[in-house]
Amino acid sequence: MSDSVFAGLQPAAVWSHFATLCRTPRQSKAEDALRDHLLDWALSRGLAAQVDDAGNLIVRKPASPGHESAPGVVLQGHLDMVCQANADTPHDFSRDAIRPRRDGGWLVADGTTLGADNGIGVALILAALEDKTLVHGPLEALFTVDEEAGMGGAQGLAPGVLQGRLMLNLDTEDWGEFYLGCTGGADVNVQRPGHPARLPTGFVCRQIRLGGLRGGHSGVNIHEERGNAIKLLVRVLRSLEADFPLRMASLQGGTARNALPREAQAVVALSTTLVAELEEALAGWQALLREELAGVDEGVSLHASPASAELLLAETEQAVWLASLHAAPHGVRRWSLAVPGVVETSNNLGVVSVGPTEGSANFMVRSLRDSGSTALAEEIVSLFALSATPAEISGHYPGWTPNPASPLLALCQAAYTREFGGESQVKVIHAGLECGIIGAKYPGLDTVSFGPTIRGAHAPGERVDIDSVGRAWQLFTAILADIARSPR
């Protein structure tokens, strides 16, 4: 990756750190190389730094002169990124650098996610740790791991490690908005053994691929009614098997639990005499889906190509999987009555992998109410129990309950008005920030989240507004100075 794409961008320190993040692979559960690099970076600058038992990196910076008694501030972001690439983009996230480019006033990656979520937040924090001119009280930077795949770093953070009374989380994606609450949630993991069958004589195989969807964040974008490739393909397969004999060899869809599935494919077997009818039926389905998804995901595509398979799912297994996935919930379940315009409870059918000998699926449930996520997760478990398919709820994490009377929020809003004029907005996000988990371990921690404008997180085409990064830095440093100068 060439750093020339960052030439001239301001603030230079922030973009320099983001360039390092782009060069360094940082899949969830594989952040070691980046974390170790940042540990060495901090120690080489005389900053106290440690890695805790969960793998999180904690860096401490003393207060600027004269502000030693100011309230301590925790600066928080996560090191990992969602790794998504288009089918026609060869990219190995375990070793390849992200390839960003400028597109007008945006920075975007070619064919992959950019990692601005949460790389820009991490870069802002690193720049603050490095800058010797800033006015601030005692700082603790908490760089968590495994956020995107289960919030393992935040879950593993021990009580008593952090000393700060205030926390600035830099993991939200709409400039001019302060976030004061988020959903909690859980995963439902389904696993079922299979019973393979042989390919019947006179049958040929075809791969049916559904693609062309936008994808996106499974929480932030869930209310937009974007297509779910798994749900759509299962719907098509259910219709096809009702019209003519169709046997399934495999079904694959989605690559991340917290991303809306953009692509899904199934290998099916059918009589050689029905191939032309299959292609005609798929053309009809493509036209129908484009009509249904007009204005949201009208680029959906559906086509068949030659394939091969020696084993198929047993007919009973095919029936169980297609019926269960067809009936399984996806999307918004309930809108909040307390916070109008905010989704309260939702679910994402994010990943499916079914073959002749076994199959699995993952659902990610979110809710502003712990009781809401529990109820929906248990509903999914009950659905699969009807076919004696094991399903378990795991990785539950608490939500972040809004506190509109937060003194830190008032300070942040005042800083925004002074620096930029106008009024900021206060929001609750339908996504799982780590604030709720950390707050449960540190009762009384006053927390606010903000960040630059990022669009398309968790999907190829993810981009960050370049100018908003500069404004986020201006606001970030102003807030730190205001905290340092605030009455004790």
Side-chain angles (χ1 to χ4, degrees), residues 245-260:
L246 185 80
R247 298 292 303 281
M248 192 168 74
S250 65
L251 172 64
Q252 308 284 333
T255 58
R257 55 193 272 284
N258 53 2
L260 299 173

Side-chain angles (χ1 to χ4, degrees), residues 228-250:
N228 178 315
I230 297 169
K231 292 289 288 184
L232 294 175
L233 183 55
V234 166
R235 179 182 167 196
V236 172
L237 293 173
R238 288 273 290 172
S239 173
L240 293 175
E241 69 172 359
D243 292 338
F244 46 80
L246 185 80
R247 298 292 303 281
M248 192 168 74
S250 65

Side-chain angles (χ1 to χ4, degrees), residues 109-122:
D110 279 324
T112 70
T113 40
L114 175 64
D117 171 19
N118 182 218
I120 294 294
V122 170

